[in-house]
Amino acid sequence: MIHQDDPFNFDPEAQQLLEPLKLDPKREPRAAARGKAAFLAEARALRETVSPSWFDRLMGWFGLNHTDQEMTLMNMKLSGLTALGLIAIFLTILFGGGVATAYAARSALPGDALFPVKTVLEGAQVTFTPDAARDAELHMLFAERRLDEMAALIENGRFENLERTAGLFESHIQGAIRSLGSVAAQDPAKAEDLAFAIAAALSRYSRVLISLRDAAPDVAQTAIDQALLASQKGLEDEEQVKFTGVVESIADDVWLVDGTSVMISDFTEIHDGIVVGDLVEVRAMISMDGALTALEIEPSDGLDNTNDNANEDGAVRFTGIVESIGPDAWVVDGMTIGITPDTDIRDVIAVGDPVEVRAIENPDGTLTATRIELAKMKDEKVRFTGLVESIGPDSWVVDGQTILITPETEIRDTIVAGDLVEVRALRSFDGTLTATRIELADDANDNLNENANGNMNENINDNDNMNENANGNMNENINDNDNMNENDNDNDNDSSGSGKGGDNENSSGKKGKDADENGNENGD
Amino acid sequence: MHSEEALIAGARKLDEDILADIYDRYSPGLYRYAFRMLGTPEMAEDCVAETFSRFLHALHRGGGPRQYLQAYLYRVAHNWVTDVYRQNSPDMVPLDVERAESGGHGPEEEVQNGLEFDRARAALLQLTPDQRQVIVLKFLEGWNNREIAKALEKPVGAVKSLQHRGLASLKRILVSSERLA
């Protein structure tokens, strides 16, 4: 394996540093033999089981491998039938759905009087069809309908039934997968096709659900998340790959990156502005036949896909006020910084402006700027509880603080002077508070939670700036938390190059898992 | 002797002879790799066992390596090692010196070797997973850049970059820890 002609193999300093690790452990022969025997035994066992590939996965995720769920939501609904429901079922069987009631029911939304009929009808179709493959297809059809209904509910602002619809959606997904199990027992090849189709549908649902969730207000979120989890669980695949390469060709359904064909599907996220010749990072799923389907394609900065960035080897970054601007050097907060033709000066900057400077330290200790841009003065989010002292059309006074009220301010309750309220506001750089939300304070615990979380976030931000390499792992965890809790770490994530909030994946690609493990909960 | 492709084809069918051949061929290297990363024979055996098991299940599901078997196996092992360190803090089990023979040294030397091993390993563990894998495969296992690129599923340029930055970090870490020692 050692190739003498590879110049990189000879780095004597490296060899010396790593020499202690070159111990050659003697493997205990009996342990080795045991390992081999176990491996071959497992292979034997697998050989004897039917190999349905995809659907085995799906079954596993829905916990249907060992314990079969007999009672679906559908069955439970059937057991609570009204007379109307029973009649509807029989009419459907007799007339194949060509009944006026049935037609009217098809456009009903949950909460409408006719809706229970609709779901019962669908239940009837599924229960009385002997063909398991048809069952699976029907379940997917109904799942899709539930999805349409969720969208319609949100559009019409009717959220009270959203959760139930999501539950029905999930039960249909489960039903489809369970039916798939029956198909596999009879016809494995057909099952594979079906499984593929279901997986494709699930990914489509995921995309729809994600866009629904973005559009829906908070109150709809849990229902959508539930449905999203149901469809994504079926999809998450260990067999993900990530690679970087140059885009060689771009078509609607397939790209060529570094000689590798990558298929584009409905759920592929492609970042804007990528053209042929760009260096990109591709994250893709490997399907059964080895084909790659991209999950995400984004521009790559050519560095490895971790939080490492330029804050190493003498690179500095700081914010300050511009004191003087010269052709070869600027002075920012008392520090002289050399300017070269390579310095990236990103904005129109004048003396007195606050700027963010990135520079490298030269061997003689002087600084040379690589980038200078106007410091982003983001409004700080604040939250506090206090007594309302006065209420005016444009501003209130709460605990002595003047808070501006705008048309966007959400005032959630009827509030009078003397009430204890919780205020959420934005503080601009000059200290002005503009309220985003005011509501009656429930209890004092809110403040406690917020402060504790706030502190933790801030501390960790500071560490980030100083010690990125050492805290690599911590960065990853925290970035994932950021995604869930939308705190103010965005500043640092954005400017740390590859540390985009959503893209801090670990090496095994289990982004979702990390978010669960960290499970950060803010008072929000 | 089978080529990697022939091995993969046989493995897909879960052919017992081919699988035995694969185990004989690759498990020693994987064991050594795992031992250097994890420090005890038990964990190294765990890693090897888990790697091959995942390999089997991937094959069974229709996944698994398409072209490069060894790279695939090392990637699986690397992911497992990384997960282990994500779940436990990097306070590693110190090297079990008796069981890692580095060639007939006296007891004091072996203890010293053990300490240096631990220090080098601790430094290695402060790298990012990708950097670590490049460094280990390059300088400890003797792979060339092309082979490493296959294992990491990255282009060779990225491998070089990872090596460069990994080494720079290692030197910084080991030199500063030497000052403290």
Side-chain angles (χ1 to χ4, degrees), chain A residues 151-395:
Chain A
L153 282 172
I154 293 172
E155 254 178 273
N156 294 327
R158 293 166 62 180
F159 305 115
E160 51 294 350
N161 286 304
L162 205 53
E163 198 130 2
R164 196 174 76 188
T165 313
L168 293 174
F169 173 85
E170 185 177 342
S171 77
H172 275 302
I173 301 288
Q174 292 194 1
I177 289 165
R178 204 174 28 254
S179 303
L180 196 49
S182 316
V183 176
Q186 304 150 24
D187 188 353
K190 188 171 188 180
E192 284 196 357
D193 290 342
L194 250 184
F196 233 109
I198 290 180
L202 286 176
S203 63
R204 203 157 29 88
Y205 299 163
S206 293
R207 205 175 117 258
V208 172
L209 287 167
I210 287 168
S211 62
L212 276 184
R213 186 178 61 181
D214 291 343
D218 291 332
V219 68
Q221 301 286 344
T222 31
I224 298 179
D225 283 343
Q226 181 185 355
L228 195 61
L229 200 62
S231 52
Q232 280 186 335
K233 262 167 145 183
L235 258 195
E236 255 170 37
D237 196 357
E238 258 170 34
E239 308 303 323
Q240 275 192 28
V241 288
K242 216 163 51 159
F243 69 99
T244 310
V246 172
V247 179
E248 291 168 28
S249 74
I250 294 178
D252 279 340
D253 55 349
V254 66
W255 287 29
L256 202 62
V257 178
D258 252 16
T260 308
S261 291
V262 182
M263 297 201 292
I264 308 295
S265 72
D266 286 343
F267 53 80
T268 308
E269 262 184 70
I270 301 179
H271 289 229
D272 291 334
I274 301 177
V275 299
V276 170
D278 282 351
L279 189 68
V280 292
E281 182 184 295
V282 177
R283 188 164 60 88
M285 272 183 352
I286 307 179
S287 60
M288 283 189 317
D289 55 358
L292 289 180
T293 305
L295 294 168
E296 190 174 353
I297 303 180
E298 57 178 329
S300 163
D301 58 1
L303 305 172
D304 57 294
N305 303 317
T306 60
N307 281 341
D308 296 348
N309 67 30
N311 269 5
E312 62 184 338
D313 294 338
V316 292
R317 194 161 67 164
F318 67 97
T319 315
I321 306 286
V322 177
E323 294 173 12
S324 74
I325 296 179
D328 298 325
W330 290 22
V331 178
V332 176
D333 259 12
M335 298 226 274
T336 307
I337 314 163
I339 305 289
T340 72
D342 292 331
T343 306
D344 183 10
I345 300 179
R346 287 198 165 182
D347 307 296
V348 175
I349 303 173
V351 168
D353 283 343
V355 291
E356 190 185 292
V357 176
R358 283 175 216 225
I360 49 173
E361 201 174 3
N362 302 315
D364 62 357
T366 57
L367 293 174
T368 303
T370 51
R371 183 157 111 192
I372 306 180
E373 59 194 326
L374 283 174
K376 299 176 195 39
M377 307 293 270
K378 268 197 187 165
D379 286 350
E380 187 194 335
K381 286 184 197 162
V382 294
R383 196 150 65 151
F384 65 98
T385 309
L387 275 174
V388 176
E389 290 170 30
S390 71
I391 295 179
D394 299 323
S395 70

Side-chain angles (χ1 to χ4, degrees), chain B residues 11-172:
Chain B
R12 262 197 212 297
K13 297 188 211 126
L14 298 181
D15 178 306
E16 177 136 351
D17 289 331
I18 299 273
L19 288 176
D21 193 6
I22 290 176
Y23 193 88
D24 288 336
R25 228 199 255 207
Y26 297 115
S27 75
L30 284 167
Y31 177 85
R32 188 180 58 231
Y33 172 79
F35 184 93
R36 284 169 172 170
M37 305 279 34
L38 299 163
T40 72
E42 291 80 20
M43 295 204 71
E45 288 291 354
D46 269 353
C47 179
V48 171
E50 191 57 33
T51 299
F52 278 101
S53 179
R54 289 184 184 189
F55 171 55
L56 276 181
H57 283 274
L59 288 169
H60 184 59
R61 280 203 307 274
R66 283 154 291 150
Q67 221 182 328
Y68 303 117
L69 179 51
Q70 182 176 38
Y72 176 88
L73 289 172
Y74 272 79
R75 182 159 55 91
V76 174
H78 173 75
N79 287 343
W80 190 84
V81 170
T82 308
D83 280 349
V84 164
Y85 280 110
R86 195 195 322 275
Q87 282 153 30
N88 314 316
S89 77
D91 299 331
M92 306 139 302
V93 181
L95 169 66
D96 193 331
V97 171
E98 284 143 26
R99 291 197 251 181
E101 297 165 23
S102 50
H105 293 201
E108 297 96 21
E109 271 187 72
E110 290 214 349
V111 169
Q112 184 55 27
N113 286 342
L115 289 172
E116 281 174 13
F117 181 99
D118 283 341
R119 200 155 59 85
R121 191 155 63 92
L124 211 51
L125 287 164
Q126 287 186 53
L127 301 180
T128 68
D130 280 342
Q131 285 174 354
R132 179 165 56 246
Q133 193 174 28
V134 169
I135 301 282
V136 169
L137 289 174
K138 186 97 196 224
F139 294 104
L140 297 179
E141 306 294 324
W143 291 23
N144 67 27
N145 285 343
R146 233 182 344 270
E147 287 155 340
I148 298 174
K150 281 186 231 156
L152 262 64
E153 291 192 334
K154 291 186 194 290
V156 172
V159 171
K160 290 182 183 174
S161 166
L162 284 167
Q163 177 192 312
H164 176 71
R165 294 161 72 175
L167 275 184
S169 300
L170 257 190
K171 286 175 189 173
R172 208 169 45 237

Side-chain angles (χ1 to χ4, degrees), chain A residues 486-500:
Chain A
E486 294 168 279
N487 61 40
D488 290 337
N489 288 336
D490 283 349
N491 283 337
D492 290 294
N493 288 341
D494 285 343
S495 44
S496 66
S498 57
K500 298 177 209 106

